[in-house]
Amino acid sequence: MPGGKIAVAGLLLAAGEARRMGSGGQHKLLAEFDGCALVRRSAQTLLSSRLCPVIVVTGHRYRQIEAELQGLEVEALLNPAYTTGMGSSLACGFSHQAIAEADGTLVMLADMPAINPDHIDRLVRTFRQHGGNVIVRASCNGQRGNPVIIPKALYGAMRHLSGDSGARSLVERSELPIVDVETGPAALLDVDTPEAVIRAGGVLKN
């Protein structure tokens, strides 16, 4: 925490198998939005908010995903157990030494095209205003969404997640305060199907 500033890292989850995309070989994270692959766009969103470091957990089709991240100041981290579910990707990410040293970590799903740097900045600012000892969550009209900032107090529990357990139940069970930040519909928009990608303005690629 140089100079007393609360340090926030970024963790981008890009390992999933995207089963709801069907058998056509199309990967939602490779879909292009404004000419840019969704996974790269998501990584750029985190980088433009000056989160440091930014770790991208990869798995399914990781070679293509990592190729799309070339030239960005991110570190790709392969989760060998990605087929078991999101819990393993969270555990993998929170086991990274650079994440472990941050006061908080903003966790973002890589398939959320409407999240922009302003949303991230507001979440980080709220986390810092509360001294880094709260969970900060994006929301839409009171409905909980993503991204979420996890404070250091929960890192140990995050490292023990497995299977399909995401951070949600852990967040709800924790005794830490939860501060919701209104970000509008972006907090709830993830693109899990070909139709959702197209509706959100994406162009599908194989």
Side-chain angles (χ1 to χ4, degrees):
M1 199 159 51
K5 191 168 189 183
I6 293 169
V8 183
L11 184 62
L12 187 65
L13 301 182
E17 293 182 274
R19 292 183 185 134
R20 291 176 61 193
M21 289 297 292
S23 56
Q26 293 163 327
H27 192 327
K28 60 184 177 180
L29 299 186
L30 301 175
E32 289 188 356
F33 287 78
D34 301 321
C36 181
L38 180 54
V39 67
R40 185 178 182 88
R41 175 189 171 111
S42 297
Q44 288 172 328
T45 294
L46 296 187
L47 288 169
S48 61
S49 297
R50 294 180 295 283
L51 298 178
C52 186
V54 173
I55 307 297
V56 183
V57 180
T58 64
H60 181 58
R61 292 172 65 173
Y62 68 93
R63 287 188 180 87
Q64 286 172 284
I65 294 295
E66 291 178 14
E68 292 293 348
L69 300 172
Q70 287 295 315
L72 298 182
E73 288 186 33
V74 301
E75 181 180 341
L77 180 63
L78 177 62
N79 170 20
Y82 71 90
T83 57
T84 64
M86 188 187 291
S88 67
S89 288
L90 286 164
C92 180
F94 276 90
S95 297
H96 191 286
Q97 184 59 38
I99 294 281
E101 291 171 1
D103 300 300
T105 297
L106 183 141
V107 179
M108 177 169 158
L109 310 176
D111 64 348
M112 301 190 75
I115 293 292
N116 64 42
D118 177 62
H119 297 140
I120 304 296
D121 288 343
R122 281 156 55 198
L123 292 166
V124 172
R125 189 161 59 245
T126 300
F127 182 72
R128 287 179 171 150
Q129 285 168 348
H130 285 81
N133 296 312
V134 296
I135 296 160
V136 175
R137 185 171 59 188
S139 66
C140 176
N141 297 324
Q143 192 173 349
R144 60 193 181 189
N146 283 291
V148 177
I149 300 182
I150 303 292
K152 197 167 209 164
L154 291 182
Y155 285 9
M158 297 296 291
R159 286 194 285 267
H160 287 94
L161 289 173
S162 61
D164 277 330
S165 336
R168 179 168 287 178
S169 59
L170 193 156
V171 163
E172 300 292 344
R173 288 197 317 269
S174 93
E175 295 179 0
L176 293 170
I178 300 174
V179 181
D180 285 336
V181 174
E182 175 65 37
T183 57
L188 306 178
L189 175 66
D190 55 10
V191 288
D192 280 339
T193 64
E195 295 75 21
V197 170
I198 292 163
R199 269 199 311 274
V203 177
L204 290 164
K205 302 282 182 180
N206 282 329

